[in-house]
Amino acid sequence: MSNNLLEVIDLRTSFDTERGNVTAVDGVSFSVAPGEVVGVVGESGCGKSVTAESILQLLDPSSTSYSGQILFGGDNLLRLSEDALRKVRGYRISMIFQDPMSALNPVFTIGDQLTEAILAHKRIGKRRARAFAIELLAKTGIPEPESRMRQYPHQLSGGQRQRVMIAMALSCDPELLIADEPTTALDVTTQAQILKLLIELKDEFDAGILFITHDLGVVAEICDRVVVMYLGEVVEYTDVHTLFDNPAHPYTRGLMASTPGIDADPEDDLPIIPGAVPTLHHIPQGCRFAERCALVLPECRQQTIELEVLSDDHASRCIRSAELATGASLSNGGVR
Amino acid sequence: MKSDQPVLEAHHLSKTFSTRSFLGRTTSENRAVDDVSLSLAAGKTYALVGESGSGKSTTGRMLQGLITPTSGHVTVRAADGSTAVQTTARANRDVQMIFQDPYSSLNPRRRIRGILEESLRIVGEKDPSVLRTKVDEALNAVGFSDEHAQRYPHEFSGGQRQRIGIARALVVNPKIIICDEPVSALDVSIQAQILNLLRKLQADLGLAYLFITHDMSVVRYLSHRVGVMYHGRIVEEANTPDLFAAPQHEYTKRLLTSVPIHHPSLRTSAKA
Ligand SMILES: Nc1ncnc2c1ncn2[C@@H]1O[C@H](COP(=O)(O)OP(=O)(O)O)[C@@H](O)[C@H]1O
Ligand SMILES: Nc1ncnc2c1ncn2[C@@H]1O[C@H](COP(=O)(O)OP(=O)(O)O)[C@@H](O)[C@H]1O
Ligand code: SF4
Ligand SMILES: [Mg+2]
Ligand SMILES: [Mg+2]
């Protein structure tokens, strides 16, 4: 496993809240190899963003505690000093978000912000930094990059702002890019362009990508491997083809079935996952998914359910995984 | 009432917004909606698709009588077959709206029952026993109990709030519901719950929907007819299967090829 770019081992992230301590990420492990796109999927509230933000420890230090290991370039990021961590953030690991506005400064031009980001970690003069900024913008497919340099963030469309964010994230030539729902707020046509761009740039920069999304269509488009999260835990991980051909966890199956596919019959109801993700104050005993699972057995609620390894790169946190992974239909695959 | 007659028709609707520049020295005109005509039929769904800013919400608001068109008019057919012509903003209880973010439109200090009663009072209902029965019916229709009625909006999840938004629209017995991206902010699992509910209500009550969305898989699943908006105009309109089988306009084609694939084996070599 030493050729991994990032290795997250048994990560736990807890918050102190007015109503007590809650654990948003509870024993999560996964890895990203160089050049690989690893997807993290799950409904909102499952702990995807907290996982991503834990890697760079971007959460409020006064109320957040971490345990486990985040191995990157020979270091455990959770053990690094704040100074050393700053040399990782925005230098070797970059992050892009759903809302680029939150990461761009409204009172500075695109050119100033991008040039400053480049100057922060490249020993080059201002002139060359500007030229490099224009080159990066052009790479992201923004029309007329030179005139964009003089514009302010609010003068750009959502898709163009996301391109600027990507240019900014790539300006340091990162080894790892963490993308937290970067296309969720965009039109489908723009989303398709941004996904294509990320793939092209990943190949050019040879970076690994941790791609967070709640959209399985996006997973099908760009991920190589996938981690499915439910209520702070990994419930299934595998390569993208196995995930779509042979999903083993009832939650994964439910997510797939409730997406109206091209074969969805307008005469039929869509399969649903009943209920909703509970809050962290109401984590169920035993299997966390039991109250929403169509295949629940009494024993599911009576024991802690461990991740069960099904094959080389496939594991599922379900006592019925073995039955499900063999493709047994089990009354509509566990979907209501 | 003849079922093939439209329950709502939009005739050549246009809306121009004037925006004043900083310091108000100059104004610029933005033709948000440009000569849009469409018609809605009982028990059917008309999907309005297009990129953000193309004028979908503005069209929906004109149909609901929330804003006055710059030109054009809307006709709504009443139960007795007579038609009411609308040229200015005017609330019509036959046309209700549900939104992407129901939370922002729910009064946080009122219980759910109070919120629904308010909708009925707005249309002139006062009798307490009628209020009670109608609210119970609407809550029941979206799968809520009396216990839910006593709670406040913040106590509900995103999908549940959307149910409240639907109940609030239903409580006045509308014939038409304008659904402005009602599932865009929801997870697919919850989205499926809401789509099933909307379809069931349509089948039970014969509702006509204008369904604004940018999700083509939802369009295919739910709608009978589709209008594609681009820069304020409807550039293409067709029955749903025809639109997917043979898109005509360049933008429609681009829209359809942008829809994420549903299996990784469908990646094109350029994408892989
Ligand atoms: N700072 C915080 N304090 C307390 N709870 C938090 C905090 N940040 C996130 N959470 C909770 O952690 C859980 C996971 O959140 P998040 O990672 O944002 O989910 P996702 O990105 O999968 O939608 C949620 O229940 C959320 O309410
Ligand atoms: N109240 C308003 N005042 C000024 N401009 C508006 C207003 N509402 C919408 N617009 C403009 O009208 C255009 C269409 O907007 P909208 O109908 O919201 O599009 P969509 O719903 O398709 O995203 C946009 O350019 C938008 O900025
Ligand atoms: S362990 Fe039981 S309840 Fe949990 S996912 Fe598997 S079958 Fe469902
Ligand atoms: Mg998130
Ligand atoms: Mg809109």
Side-chain angles (χ1 to χ4, degrees), chain A residues 115-195:
Chain A
T115 310
E116 195 185 325
I118 294 165
L119 286 172
H121 44 251
K122 275 210 166 43
R123 295 174 165 278
I124 54 174
K126 201 157 179 190
R127 252 262 233 31
R128 282 188 53 206
R130 275 193 86 79
F132 184 49
I134 294 169
E135 194 184 313
L136 274 173
L137 282 178
K139 275 204 178 112
T140 68
I142 286 197
E144 301 172 52
E146 273 164 72
S147 51
R148 296 289 167 216
M149 292 282 283
R150 291 188 293 274
Q151 291 188 314
Y152 292 88
H154 75 267
Q155 294 174 296
L156 304 183
S157 69
Q160 286 172 343
R161 272 182 224 137
Q162 199 52 280
R163 287 175 206 265
V164 170
M165 270 313 297
I166 293 171
M168 200 98 97
L170 294 175
S171 65
C172 63
D173 201 355
E175 293 153 65
L176 178 69
L177 177 68
I178 302 176
D180 190 353
E181 312 240 10
T183 60
T184 301
L186 303 175
D187 286 316
V188 273
T189 48
T190 316
Q191 164 168 289
Q193 293 161 2
I194 296 285
L195 292 179

Side-chain angles (χ1 to χ4, degrees), chain A residues 48-49 180-181 212:
Chain A
K48 306 182 297 295
S49 293
D180 190 353
E181 312 240 10
I212 291 165

